Amino acid sequence: MKPESLLARARSLDEQALAEIHDQYYPIVYRYVRYRLEDDQVVEDIAADVFLRLLDALSRRTSDIRDLRAWLLGTTANLINDHLRRKYRRPVENIEDFEFLSGLDNPEKSVEINQQQQQVRGALQQLTNDQQQVLSLRFLLECSIEETARVMRKTEGAVKVLQFRAIASLRKFLDDSK
């Protein structure tokens, strides 16, 4: 079903349309949050909150949702940024981060892979929120430049520049850490 007709049915709070929206877009929203955050519980909470906000916006009937996917991803980005602001105020280390060492067939290879992943995550965390967002939208969710611009509320030119700078910064951070 086309997103426009699905959105029209959802505006009347049609349960089947709402279920279709959830089934179609939840994996995309979840993957986007998971790419930006590591805590599975927080990822699930934010992904669920996106759909609660959609339901709230539709039930108020004053929402101006034109592009459902862009609205969902924009809302997701805002919730992630809110979470990160709160997290930076009170950072916490998880002991579970070291569970990767248990039950591995090749511990040396697993440690090497984990170190590379940590290195990339560390470099990504040094990028600005906008840079992280543009990379996750463009490469994780495979959004077009146009769709990324709608989600981020920027011009297509600004998205291209932001993506170029994000990749250059990421490359510099990774080269410096070698």
Side-chain angles (χ1 to χ4, degrees):
M1 177 175 289
K2 291 189 175 189
E4 301 85 26
S5 61
L6 192 57
L7 181 57
R9 287 181 37 222
R11 286 185 198 280
S12 64
L13 302 179
D14 177 322
E15 289 181 24
Q16 185 177 2
L18 293 171
E20 286 180 43
I21 288 171
H22 184 271
D23 291 347
Q24 183 176 350
Y25 291 102
Y26 185 85
I28 295 166
V29 168
Y30 183 89
R31 213 170 55 228
Y32 178 40
V33 180
R34 185 67 180 106
Y35 180 76
R36 298 279 314 272
L37 304 174
E38 294 180 27
D39 185 332
D40 289 334
Q41 186 61 49
V42 172
V43 171
E44 290 174 14
D45 290 346
I46 289 175
D49 198 24
V50 169
F51 291 93
L52 288 173
R53 288 182 185 224
L54 174 64
L55 186 57
D56 183 49
L58 293 172
S59 65
R60 281 187 278 128
R61 300 188 194 282
T62 57
S63 67
D64 191 25
I65 302 172
R66 290 190 177 92
D67 182 334
L68 183 58
R69 180 178 159 119
W71 188 93
L72 289 169
L73 293 176
T75 300
T76 304
N78 291 335
L79 290 172
I80 291 168
N81 290 337
D82 290 346
H83 171 77
L84 290 173
R85 274 190 223 89
R86 287 189 305 271
K87 180 180 175 185
Y88 290 136
R89 288 186 194 131
R90 50 183 167 81
V92 176
E93 288 289 327
N94 270 341
I95 192 127
E96 292 86 24
D97 290 345
F98 299 100
E99 286 185 13
F100 70 92
L101 293 173
S102 64
L104 300 175
D105 293 337
N106 185 346
E108 290 174 7
K109 182 71 173 167
S110 296
V111 167
E112 181 181 327
I113 289 170
N114 187 53
Q115 287 174 340
Q116 289 171 350
Q117 289 174 341
Q118 292 298 334
Q119 188 178 24
V120 170
R121 279 193 184 119
L124 283 169
Q125 289 175 350
Q126 293 183 44
L127 300 177
T128 66
N129 276 336
D130 280 349
Q131 289 174 333
Q132 290 178 35
Q133 185 177 6
V134 77
L135 291 180
S136 58
L137 288 169
R138 293 284 294 131
F139 300 113
L140 174 71
L141 298 179
E142 299 176 353
C143 292
S144 67
I145 295 283
E146 178 185 351
E147 188 173 17
T148 303
R150 279 195 314 267
V151 169
M152 295 184 72
R153 294 185 177 108
K154 296 187 180 295
T155 65
E156 291 180 27
V159 167
K160 289 177 185 177
V161 169
L162 187 58
Q163 178 181 322
F164 176 80
R165 289 181 179 164
I167 292 171
S169 294
L170 188 61
R171 183 175 291 126
K172 182 184 180 313
F173 291 136
L174 290 172
D175 287 345
D176 288 349
S177 67
K178 287 183 180 179

